[in-house]
Amino acid sequence: MTETPIWFTPPPRSPRLPEAPPREVRERIALEIDGERVEVEQGATLLDACRAAGREIPTLCYLETLTPVNVCRICVVEVEGARVLAPACSRKAEAGMKVATESPRVATSRKLVLELLASSVDLSTAPGLAELMARYGARPERFGANAASVAQPVKVDNDLYVRDYGKCVLCYKCVEACGVDAQNTFAIAVAGRGFDAGISTEHDVPLPDSACVYCGNCIAVCPTGALMPKPEHDLRAVGRWDEARQTRTDTICAYCGVGCTVTLHVQDGAIVKATSPFENQVTRGNLCVKGRFGFEFVQLGRRR
Amino acid sequence: MDLRFHGNRPSAEERAAIDALLGAPATGWQGGERDAARDGRHAEGGLAAAERRDLLLPCLHALQDRVGWVSRGGLEYVCRRLSVPPAEAWGVATFYHLLATEPRPPVVAHVCDDLACRLAGAERLCARLEREVGPAGAPAGEGNATWLRSPCLGACDRAPAALLFAAGEAPRSAVVAPVADEAALVDALARPAHFPPHELFTEHGSADLRRSVPQLGEPGLLLLARVGTVDPTSLEAYRASGGYRALARAVELGPERLIEEKIASKLVGRGGAAFPTGRKWQAVARARVTPRYLVCNADESEPGTFKDRILLEHDPFGIVEAMTIAGYACGCERGFVYLRGEYPLALERLGEAIAQARAAGLLGDDVLGAGFRFDIEIRRGAGAYICGEETALFNSIEGYRGEPRSKPPFPVEVGLFGKPTVVNNVETLANVPFIVANGGASYAAKGTAGSTGHKLFCVSGRVARPGLYEVPFGTTLGELLLLAGGVAGGRDLAAVLLGGAAGSFVGPEALTLPLTFEDTRAAGTTLGSGVVLVYDDLADLPDALSRIASFFRHESCGQCVPCRVGAVRQEEMLARLAAGRPEGSLAAELETYRELAQAMRDASICGLGQTASAAIESALARFPLFGAPAAGGERP
Amino acid sequence: MFGAGGGTSSYREIEETDCILLWGSNARETHPIFFHHLLKGVRSGARLIAVDPRHTSSARWAHLWAGLDVGSDIALANSVAREILAAGLEHKEFVEHATSGFEAFRAHVEPWTLERGERESGVPAAVIRELAHTYATAPRAMICWTLGITEHHNAVDNVLALINLALLTGHVGRYGSGLNPLRGQNNVQGGGDMGALPDRLAGFQHVENEPLRQRFEAAWGVPIPPKKGWHLTGMFEAMERGELTHLYVLGENPMRSEADQHRTRKLLEGLEFLVVQDLFRTATAEAADVVLPGSASWCEAEGTVTSSERRVQRVRRALPPPGEARDDLEILFEIARRLGHDWGEPSAERVWDEVRRVSPAHAGMSYARLEAEGGLQWPCYDEEHPGELFLHSRLWERPVVGPRAPFHCLEHDPPVDRLDEEFPLRLTTGRRLEDFNTGVQSGGYVYPRRRGETLDLSPEDADRLGVAEGERVRVRSRRGAVVAPVHIDESLRPGLTFMTFHFPEEVATNLLTIDATDPVSGTAEFKAAAIRVERLAAGDSAERRDRSERNDLVEAT
């Protein structure tokens, strides 16, 4: 079925460039990060300020495209005069603040957060966490061999992606991506309470019975590999997943006319995964089911 | 929203219960009968259909009250009516421990096994129930009843306590405290002669009020003056006792002077954080954003605390009047009372008081004919300590999981429904009429310079006369304990838990400690919510510590890592220490604990996680425990 | 004439508008990522109004859904316009300075009272009124549409009816206000922009415009036929007349995608010479004399595509085409070489630079800029030009730059395939989230909830017909019949039925649809067929006949 556009003559050139209304100019405020003065816009977070000062603050539940939930607490910093540490990802910078990004209190909290996670969650596919553990001297084994964990069987209930909640750090990112911040499908939410809380469909029904539309935007934001496309999961299971051998090429999705940028991950001459860059202005890292999973047709047997 | 439903239908009873709350659905798209001629041509919905999300928890209560649990059909109907995604509604329903998301018998006994009750034989009661009724949670009594263990029910004055619910067309609930006749409870659950076992619901807490409030009727009481002396079910009696004169005076003063008086009184919040109330009111009154809200935090759940319950049960009009004054002062037109789900009598009394006040024009569109609008809604909690944290409370009212929000922004700027909100504890509000009627200065003259006025203390545990006591700030701990008759049975005092599970332990050396904010702070302890839980020399402190650890594990909302996992690790470590099997060495284990406690205190989102290690740390510091000497030092 | 063949606005604008009129589009499923932007707008306070015969998943997000009769768009739009005028809500300054033909338009819509609008469209008068007032009083407002507007015999009139509303209210040419057709395929916009239209050269330049054509002739060094060609439907008519005998099909599967498939098949098989260049051996390829295995342009070749916000973006080769398949550009270059024209080494960038030389709207878009700036929106006149965020700001200049935008007086003209006693049900067709067109692409992955083709019926019709969920029924139109399982769908009202066309090998929906086409756009009225539903007895010989008909079709191709 061809959609034929309605066409007319080319428009005359506009005498002025069409522009968006000017953005409200915000005041700039100054604060100190580790003794160094930095200026940021009013409304900027401490994370913005720290980055402006060249400090690398570790984050886990934070992503530019999502509303900060500040639950992982790995990004805490010490604000002079404050009773407790502040999550850099969401605390707004204030004029005159004095912030320490690597004070002993900060280091202890980060170390403990890493130890608490590593002692309760399988972090084997979480990129960057091993490095962080080394950086903060985390020794999760000191909580004992019988420390309670979230270990549980992998949920494989559909052909597109698997959910391995034994790897879930409960960062809420997938819930946000499925919900208000992107997809607005609300197939999953945090259910239960405390250590028993977990990501769940209603009544924990299998995904195909849930509201899930398989956009996979949850996979895109998962920081630990708890959510994974099935092909990647299967390749990893047989030891054939090798990111060093993969190329990544940005192109435009083959389906509708929205023009989503798709990054194709190619290994051994085959597309093994599709993602979208978070900084892309059209997608903000999101795709629909066709964009994320619909690439297989180019490599089906009937084309060879 | 394009929600996906499963086609689970509500039963007629469930549908009726929800419709009674929400009204009948207007169209097929909202869960009503489909009328193709109408519904096939037009619909109104989208986000606008989800604007009543704050009725989610009341709907879940309605289901539970009617059939004893939140069924799939019932939940789906609620989701259709309120346009709430089923996964989110499930997330909310599974958050609250009073709500059952699996079939549960209609009659449930929640048996308290928390700090005060376990000093009064709660474990023995639980063991008997296990033996004679069956394991906790298992259906008994021909499938009609079950029992469950519960954290503190706020009836420590009459420990041990049990809370009973019976779902049905006319749902009933009551607190039985003390559980004097264990056999009757066992019989009613295991061998019900009839259903529901009405005799269990006859006791409604007020029978022996003098036992709970030993000062009843004494002169000079500021907060408890009406408790036990004025009929709490009668507006007339309340007015005859001087009630509503403060509101009239407030209207004379006008909002600005009213707030000035509040500031002059130096009243600070009694919920635990001790923030100056007048400044809070002023911030909201000056906010440019409208509407603004008033919330009375009546989610009293700190183990050992029962003061707010007694105020609400026995002086509900006092709280209604105080809220009306606060609403007037701050320019709020709607007030909410977020009430613990475990307080059935307070719910009844407060609901009745609000209705009478409304009927008398003391709430509504033109209060007192003075040209301002104010009304009050009660929202029932459903078994979540965390909802006493003010931002978690907002989320709970709004129909979300009771997870705390990050502060700042503070409630006075961004509170309930994202609007400027005053949150005051029940006891804080109870001070308001006196301040308004007598002036801030006269209030400030009471107590000490740093802690003005009177304070309620919930004295429980091993004292001769457990109960609620009102004393001026500055009274020493020893004086308070004397008031309560001293340690029961003439035993020696071993320890006092001040401030509840989130507070800290002190030893006999603290008997001379003046009970003020400034003195307790200097002594490295806290008044918290006014808990004074007494342990004698026979008490098993490690057992209390384990119970505290298990309380926090149970009540952590699960949002942030330090608290969610930390509370579990804390419980595991205490179990290892109690068993004499520390990980590595005792010193190593204690060092790990010290770091864990520091991280929980420093990096948790809210007060729950920040204080979850406080009592245990204080015990380790002050007492030789687990084979280690007292660590000494003050809580940082 | 009003403007150019592209959406006037950018996606980011819909996040900041105050009212979104989604008309004939189920963007929630067909343009999911655009819908993300739309929902950001809704969450920021924009009112969403959905106009669609079905209560679609998009409509479920709407503050107001108007369930009009299929093909009554002009009736509804005229009534909305009349209500705006009656309430004095038109943008008088804009109408006066930037438009033409207003008085005639006012007179034309005058009889279209709310009551008449309700009578002709089925939408309750109060709903029409609310729609009109919400749209007209919004400080900024967008209209977005898809095939619900364009797959009609009067597609162009439908579009003009929506344009009338924007002109009346001044909701065009400003940030946050505009008119946006959402393109159904990743390069529908680009194809048209590049001149893959019967009357256009690249950059919408009319082939019958002498000076424009001469520029191309000079650039290419060859004469160009000065007459416009045929659009797709015209080609089939030309085949019928015997005027079109040779056909080169690239990346299309008309054997499956065209309306009235019996006729399509006859005509394609009647060609003297058919070349098909495609990824797959499609049904059309099966009928071809020569099949050229092509490449997947989005991942096996270099080039550009253009999105619904006029953004030209690069597609890149991520992997080589398999087996003997070749880059489409290589194939075309090779054919040229064998026809005696050596175009040199195939290079997408060189081809693009040629576009930039002949199309002023694309002149500023070098590959380097497209890479660096994440694509550019046309028009982009030179290397310094940033591309235009939205079109037609000229209409807000005083005096207006260029021609004024004309109102059009449009007659309501219901679907060609009339309902009667014999064919009492309206069948409308569309897409589902997980599937795409004829399923050639989307069939490559397993969607856990895919349910294949169904005839979607309202619960009331299912009751009346006595058919149950999943029951196979025969669906018959005046052109043919298919057998499909029933799916009961509450988003439909009695009398309205729905099918997709995603599973042509199982259920050839387009045996049912009508090839009544719009005279200008050439689009067939896929959205409106008249059908009846017949129950099948087990082992019904009629079912076997229908099945064998379908199998014939498959086997013969």
Side-chain angles (χ1 to χ4, degrees):
Chain A
M1 185 172 294
T2 310
E3 183 197 41
T4 310
I6 306 306
W7 58 90
F8 301 88
T9 53
R13 185 167 176 170
S14 299
R16 271 180 291 191
L17 260 185
E19 281 176 343
R23 218 176 127 241
E24 177 197 355
V25 183
R26 290 185 177 155
E27 204 186 321
R28 291 187 75 76
I29 53 170
L31 63 160
E32 269 183 29
I33 307 289
D34 295 333
E36 182 187 328
R37 186 176 184 281
V38 288
E39 270 195 19
V40 291
E41 241 182 23
Q42 184 93 47
T45 62
L46 288 183
L47 185 63
D48 298 331
C50 290
R51 286 180 175 174
R55 294 297 180 284
E56 195 202 320
I57 308 291
T59 63
L60 198 53
C61 69
Y62 174 79
L63 195 64
E64 280 79 354
T65 54
L66 303 173
T67 311
V69 287
N70 58 75
V71 298
C72 77
R73 316 304 280 186
I74 194 96
C75 73
V76 287
V77 292
E78 186 166 357
V79 179
E80 197 178 288
R83 186 174 51 87
V84 294
L85 304 178
C89 67
S90 63
R91 173 62 60 82
K92 298 272 185 283
E94 294 167 28
M97 267 183 169
K98 291 187 167 64
V99 177
T101 64
E102 293 287 346
S103 70
R105 279 175 78 191
V106 167
T108 301
S109 279
R110 289 191 189 152
K111 177 176 73 173
L112 263 293
V113 164
L114 289 165
E115 289 175 342
L116 291 172
L117 286 177
S119 63
S120 58
V121 182
D122 171 3
L123 299 176
S124 60
T125 54
L129 276 192
E131 293 75 6
L132 271 185
M133 304 259 296
R135 177 169 149 195
Y136 288 100
R139 292 185 299 116
E141 63 281 2
R142 63 180 173 148
F143 289 120
N146 298 321
S149 81
V150 297
Q152 57 191 287
V154 185
K155 287 184 194 295
V156 185
D157 54 14
N158 69 86
D159 289 308
L160 297 183
Y161 77 99
V162 299
R163 298 177 292 155
D164 185 353
Y165 289 130
K167 293 178 174 173
C168 175
V169 293
L170 213 63
C171 70
Y172 288 57
K173 278 178 174 172
C174 57
V175 175
E176 292 202 294
C178 188
V180 172
D181 280 342
Q183 180 59 27
N184 282 280
T185 288
F186 306 99
I188 47 172
V190 178
R193 194 167 86 190
F195 194 69
D196 300 328
I199 308 296
S200 177
T201 59
E202 61 273 21
H203 314 289
D204 205 16
V205 297
L207 271 190
D209 294 337
S210 77
C212 178
V213 291
Y214 301 91
C215 63
N217 292 327
C218 54
I219 306 172
V221 298
C222 178
T224 63
L227 305 175
M228 201 177 269
K230 184 117 187 324
E232 177 179 345
H233 180 261
D234 293 348
L235 283 173
R236 282 179 187 270
V238 296
R240 281 187 46 221
W241 181 262
D242 184 358
E243 286 178 13
R245 280 192 291 141
Q246 291 173 11
T247 58
R248 296 180 178 202
T249 308
D250 283 358
T251 186
I252 301 299
C253 175
Y255 290 88
C256 80
V258 174
C260 298
T261 295
V262 177
T263 304
L264 296 176
H265 303 237
V266 174
Q267 180 183 320
D268 308 331
I271 304 170
V272 291
K273 182 156 91 171
T275 58
S276 186
F278 289 111
E279 62 279 11
N280 184 269
Q281 53 197 331
V282 174
T283 67
R284 294 180 180 119
N286 299 302
L287 292 169
C288 76
V289 60
K290 300 185 287 289
R292 196 172 301 278
F293 296 109
F295 54 78
E296 293 287 355
F297 72 94
V298 295
Q299 48 201 26
L300 288 179
R302 59 191 164 116
R303 279 192 77 203
R304 309 272 160 188
Chain B
M1 295 189 271
D2 53 340
L3 304 178
R4 186 175 186 216
F5 297 109
H6 298 269
N8 297 315
R9 316 304 294 187
S11 67
E13 293 78 20
E14 290 167 330
R15 180 187 291 271
I18 298 305
D19 288 353
L21 185 68
L22 301 179
T27 71
W29 299 119
Q30 292 158 21
E33 276 298 305
R34 174 177 159 107
D35 171 356
R38 174 194 65 202
D39 298 339
R41 287 299 182 180
H42 124 261
E44 287 174 23
L47 288 184
E51 280 170 2
R52 295 203 294 172
R53 171 83 183 238
D54 65 297
L55 294 176
L56 177 57
L57 186 52
C59 281
L60 298 179
H61 271 304
L63 292 173
Q64 173 110 359
D65 285 350
R66 184 65 188 85
V67 297
W69 69 295
V70 178
S71 73
R72 289 192 177 201
L75 189 66
E76 183 161 323
Y77 184 60
V78 171
C79 289
R80 279 183 195 272
R81 292 299 314 273
L82 299 178
S83 205
V84 174
E88 283 199 356
W90 173 251
V92 171
T94 55
F95 186 82
Y96 297 100
H97 281 190
L98 287 183
L99 300 176
T101 51
E102 298 296 329
R104 185 190 275 178
V107 174
V108 184
H110 297 268
V111 179
C112 179
D113 66 353
D114 217 324
L115 296 173
C117 285
R118 61 198 301 113
L119 290 175
E123 281 301 332
R124 193 189 59 232
L125 173 60
C126 288
R128 180 160 179 191
L129 289 169
E130 231 162 75
R131 232 173 21 245
E132 299 182 29
V133 178
E142 293 153 18
N144 280 320
T146 189
W147 73 281
L148 295 165
R149 285 173 179 264
S150 170
C152 181
L153 292 170
C156 325
D157 47 329
R158 290 170 292 137
L163 168 69
L164 296 160
F165 281 112
E169 196 164 3
R172 307 187 64 174
S173 52
V175 172
V176 181
V179 181
D181 189 348
E182 291 182 3
L185 181 63
V186 166
D187 272 358
L189 294 174
R191 294 174 286 279
H194 47 86
F195 181 82
H198 293 296
E199 67 279 2
L200 282 182
F201 293 93
T202 52
E203 179 159 11
H204 225 344
S206 60
D208 193 8
L209 187 57
R210 186 168 294 278
R211 189 172 153 185
S212 298
V213 186
Q215 293 164 298
L216 191 147
E218 284 180 15
L221 295 178
L222 188 156
L223 299 161
L224 297 176
R226 289 192 189 89
V227 171
T229 62
V230 176
D231 180 358
T233 64
S234 161
L235 174 60
E236 211 172 306
Y238 179 72
R239 288 187 116 159
S241 75
Y244 277 108
R245 278 189 214 149
L247 179 61
R249 174 75 182 137
V251 171
E252 267 171 48
L253 288 172
E256 268 180 43
R257 283 199 51 205
L258 194 52
I259 289 172
E260 281 167 23
E261 292 297 334
K262 283 286 290 190
I263 291 172
S265 76
K266 299 190 193 162
L267 175 69
V268 301
R270 305 293 195 240
F275 189 84
T277 309
R279 290 217 345 249
K280 197 186 269 187
W281 285 23
Q282 189 172 51
V284 171
R286 286 181 178 171
R288 270 169 294 182
V289 179
T290 55
R292 304 164 200 149
Y293 295 101
L294 171 70
V295 172
C296 168
N297 186 346
D299 193 45
E300 176 174 73
S301 311
E302 186 66 47
T305 317
F306 48 88
K307 62 189 175 75
D308 295 345
R309 174 179 59 77
I310 288 182
L311 287 174
L312 290 165
E313 285 176 352
H314 300 287
D315 189 14
F317 287 102
I319 302 305
V320 172
E321 183 182 4
M323 286 183 71
T324 312
I325 295 169
Y328 172 69
C330 303
C332 309
E333 295 188 344
R334 277 179 86 187
F336 290 87
V337 179
Y338 189 89
L339 180 68
R340 268 199 96 173
E342 291 86 345
Y343 284 177
L345 182 60
L347 176 69
E348 183 187 315
R349 293 262 169 91
L350 188 64
E352 177 62 21
I354 290 170
Q356 287 189 31
R358 197 179 287 135
L362 296 165
L363 288 173
D365 287 344
D366 185 11
V367 177
L368 269 186
F372 75 94
R373 174 183 302 169
F374 184 72
D375 213 330
I376 300 175
E377 271 179 64
I378 304 175
R379 291 301 171 88
R380 268 158 87 192
Y385 169 72
I386 187 61
C387 291
E389 198 285 335
E390 55 192 1
T391 57
L393 185 159
F394 299 152
N395 278 338
S396 182
I397 290 182
E398 291 178 24
Y400 294 88
R401 293 164 56 81
E403 294 171 349
R405 303 172 184 169
S406 196
K407 290 191 281 193
F410 292 98
V412 293
E413 299 169 311
V414 182
L416 185 61
F417 302 112
K419 303 295 181 186
T421 303
V422 182
V423 185
N424 284 153
N425 168 264
V426 173
E427 184 191 347
T428 313
L429 285 166
N431 287 286
V432 169
F434 179 90
I435 293 170
V436 175
N438 300 283
S442 104
Y443 185 88
K446 296 174 182 293
T448 66
S451 305
T452 61
H454 288 191
K455 176 80 190 90
L456 296 177
F457 287 99
C458 309
V459 184
S460 65
R462 297 292 172 86
V463 286
R465 287 194 298 276
L468 184 60
Y469 293 87
E470 175 179 340
V471 293
F473 277 105
T475 306
T476 64
L477 179 58
E479 287 163 353
L480 178 64
L481 292 188
L482 272 183
L483 214 50
V487 179
R491 307 284 321 179
D492 286 340
L493 179 70
V496 177
L497 178 61
L498 284 182
S504 69
F505 283 95
V506 294
E509 78 287 348
L511 285 172
T512 56
L513 178 70
L515 297 172
T516 66
F517 294 112
E518 60 274 19
D519 290 294
T520 49
R521 196 176 300 128
T525 180
T526 175
L527 291 183
S529 58
V531 169
V532 177
L533 214 162
V534 177
Y535 290 85
D536 64 17
D537 55 349
L538 295 177
D540 182 354
L541 267 195
D543 173 72
L545 300 187
S546 291
R547 185 63 187 88
I548 290 171
S550 113
F551 175 79
F552 283 109
R553 194 253 307 132
H554 187 259
E555 297 299 337
S556 167
C557 77
Q559 204 185 182
C560 70
V561 174
C563 177
R564 177 180 77 240
V565 190
V568 173
R569 295 290 173 260
Q570 172 170 276
E571 190 184 30
E572 291 169 348
M573 291 167 97
L574 279 175
R576 283 197 296 267
L577 289 168
R581 285 197 296 273
E583 182 71 23
S585 62
L586 181 60
E589 185 83 293
L590 290 173
E591 172 59 14
T592 304
Y593 182 71
R594 195 192 59 74
E595 285 196 0
L596 172 70
Q598 186 192 329
M600 290 175 76
R601 192 165 59 238
D602 274 350
S604 293
I605 291 178
C606 78
L608 188 152
Q610 290 163 11
T611 59
S613 59
I616 295 164
E617 273 192 293
S618 71
L620 290 173
R622 291 192 168 95
F623 309 115
L625 285 167
F626 309 119
E634 299 300 333
R635 213 190 114 195
Chain C
M1 275 300 181
F2 181 66
T8 67
S9 315
S10 299
Y11 302 152
R12 57 181 272 201
E13 289 177 63
I14 204 158
E15 299 182 4
E16 294 174 46
T17 190
D18 302 296
C19 174
I20 303 157
L21 186 49
L22 190 65
W23 195 310
S25 165
N26 187 13
R28 177 60 156 164
E29 297 189 41
T30 58
H31 300 84
I33 299 299
F34 171 78
F35 210 76
H36 283 199
H37 294 272
L38 184 151
L39 285 177
K40 280 218 177 340
V42 169
R43 291 206 175 271
S44 303
R47 305 283 296 178
L48 175 64
I49 302 171
V51 178
D52 198 298
R54 298 185 298 144
H55 193 225
T56 59
S57 47
S58 304
R60 284 166 204 264
W61 279 98
H63 294 88
L64 183 69
W65 165 62
L68 81 176
D69 284 334
V70 175
S72 67
D73 305 81
I74 290 169
L76 182 60
N78 280 350
S79 184
V80 169
R82 200 264 181 197
E83 173 60 21
I84 290 172
L85 287 165
L89 299 175
E90 75 275 20
H91 195 299
K92 297 182 178 68
E93 194 273 344
F94 183 83
V95 167
E96 183 187 333
H97 291 281
T99 69
S100 62
F102 172 66
E103 284 310 323
F105 177 70
R106 175 199 283 278
H108 178 76
V109 298
E110 180 51 31
W112 281 93
T113 60
L114 294 176
E115 293 66 35
R116 183 171 172 202
E118 171 165 347
R119 215 160 47 236
E120 301 286 346
S121 73
V123 179
V127 175
I128 303 177
R129 184 178 182 280
E130 190 184 339
L131 189 167
H133 285 242
T134 305
Y135 176 70
T137 57
R140 295 165 295 186
M142 289 274 189
I143 303 180
C144 305
W145 69 89
T146 317
L147 303 177
I149 281 294
T150 51
E151 284 184 350
H152 287 285
H153 73 281
N154 49 353
V156 172
D157 283 359
N158 280 347
V159 174
L160 293 172
L162 300 183
I163 291 174
N164 283 340
L165 298 181
L167 294 182
L168 198 55
T169 51
H171 285 324
V172 68
R174 290 198 289 190
Y175 188 80
S177 289
L179 287 152
N180 295 291
L182 306 173
R183 303 309 193 185
Q185 290 147 51
N186 79 342
N187 203 27
V188 165
Q189 182 69 51
D193 297 351
M194 291 305 103
L197 298 171
D199 60 350
R200 297 295 156 132
L201 295 159
F204 333 103
Q205 301 175 87
H206 209 288
V207 71
E208 292 172 6
N209 179 316
E210 188 74 29
L212 290 179
R213 191 178 67 250
Q214 279 172 357
R215 198 160 83 203
F216 282 84
E217 288 175 341
W220 291 343
V222 289
I224 297 170
K227 283 281 171 213
K228 69 176 180 186
W230 292 307
H231 48 54
L232 189 56
T233 322
M235 289 187 208
F236 280 99
E237 285 162 9
M239 288 180 218
E240 212 153 41
R241 294 193 302 272
E243 288 175 38
L244 178 62
T245 54
H246 292 60
L247 190 68
Y248 184 178
V249 178
L250 294 92
E252 274 273 347
N253 189 12
M255 197 72 92
R256 286 290 176 269
S257 60
E258 287 307 292
D260 196 348
Q261 291 198 355
H262 287 307
R263 169 175 173 266
T264 305
R265 188 171 128 226
K266 197 185 88 206
L267 293 174
L268 287 175
E269 287 176 355
L271 288 167
E272 286 176 29
F273 186 61
L274 174 63
V275 184
V276 172
Q277 183 169 324
D278 207 302
L279 300 189
F280 298 107
R281 216 172 158 82
T282 61
T284 311
E286 295 290 347
D289 298 283
V290 174
V291 177
L292 299 167
S295 58
S297 58
W298 67 287
C299 66
E300 294 168 352
E302 301 289 330
T304 64
V305 293
T306 308
S307 77
S308 300
E309 61 169 356
R310 297 170 279 105
R311 185 177 299 279
V312 177
Q313 303 184 99
R314 287 274 283 111
V315 291
R316 298 178 182 85
R317 173 180 253 194
L319 68 175
E324 290 175 32
R326 290 165 75 176
D327 187 332
D328 295 290
L329 208 57
E330 269 180 48
I331 297 174
L332 292 173
F333 272 59
E334 181 60 21
I335 289 172
R337 198 180 60 77
R338 295 201 193 177
L339 291 173
H341 297 270
D342 186 357
W343 292 348
E345 273 302 298
S347 154
E349 184 170 5
R350 273 183 46 224
V351 172
W352 181 249
D353 284 338
E354 183 181 314
V355 170
R356 295 173 58 209
R357 282 194 298 278
V358 295
S359 168
H362 295 91
M365 301 178 176
S366 65
Y367 261 36
R369 283 191 72 194
L370 292 175
E371 296 277 352
E373 298 176 41
L376 287 163
Q377 290 170 288
W378 63 249
C380 174
Y381 298 105
D382 54 58
E383 291 268 1
E384 273 67 54
H385 194 279
E388 294 199 355
L389 194 57
F390 56 92
L391 301 180
H392 309 306
S393 60
R394 66 176 186 86
L395 294 173
W396 291 91
E397 299 290 338
R398 297 291 173 267
V400 162
V401 173
R404 287 164 169 247
F407 281 100
H408 289 85
C409 297
L410 304 163
E411 299 296 342
H412 169 46
D413 185 9
V416 175
D417 209 14
R418 299 297 154 111
L419 301 179
D420 58 20
E421 277 184 14
E422 206 184 343
F423 297 98
L425 296 172
R426 177 60 73 204
L427 171 70
T428 192
T429 64
R431 287 171 175 163
R432 289 190 201 135
L433 168 71
E434 64 272 22
D435 296 307
F436 189 71
N437 293 3
T438 58
V440 171
Q441 295 178 186
S442 50
Y445 75 99
V446 181
Y447 188 73
R449 276 160 64 181
R450 184 176 281 138
R451 63 167 193 263
E453 191 60 83
T454 51
L455 172 71
D456 296 357
L457 291 175
S458 69
E460 293 80 8
D461 282 334
D463 260 8
R464 194 176 47 74
L465 293 162
V467 295
E469 176 79 25
E471 179 177 338
R472 293 173 63 80
V473 294
R474 187 187 309 110
V475 188
R476 183 176 295 284
S477 78
R478 296 186 174 95
R479 290 152 298 281
V482 299
V483 172
V486 162
H487 172 65
I488 297 170
D489 183 350
E490 289 200 338
S491 69
L492 298 168
R493 64 176 162 268
L496 182 63
T497 71
F498 178 81
M499 293 178 80
T500 78
F501 43 90
H502 295 313
F503 309 94
E505 309 299 331
E506 295 157 33
V507 179
T509 305
N510 282 332
L511 287 173
L512 304 172
T513 49
I514 184 169
D515 67 346
T517 55
D518 181 88
V520 181
S521 73
T523 311
E525 195 157 62
F526 289 104
K527 291 295 180 191
I531 59 157
R532 68 168 178 262
V533 175
E534 298 164 1
R535 293 198 64 182
L536 300 177
D540 187 330
S541 62
E543 175 176 12
R544 281 202 303 277
R545 195 176 67 237
D546 284 340
R547 276 170 170 281
S548 66
E549 270 177 36
R550 199 179 61 249
N551 292 341
D552 280 354
L553 200 76
V554 174
E555 281 156 19
T557 54

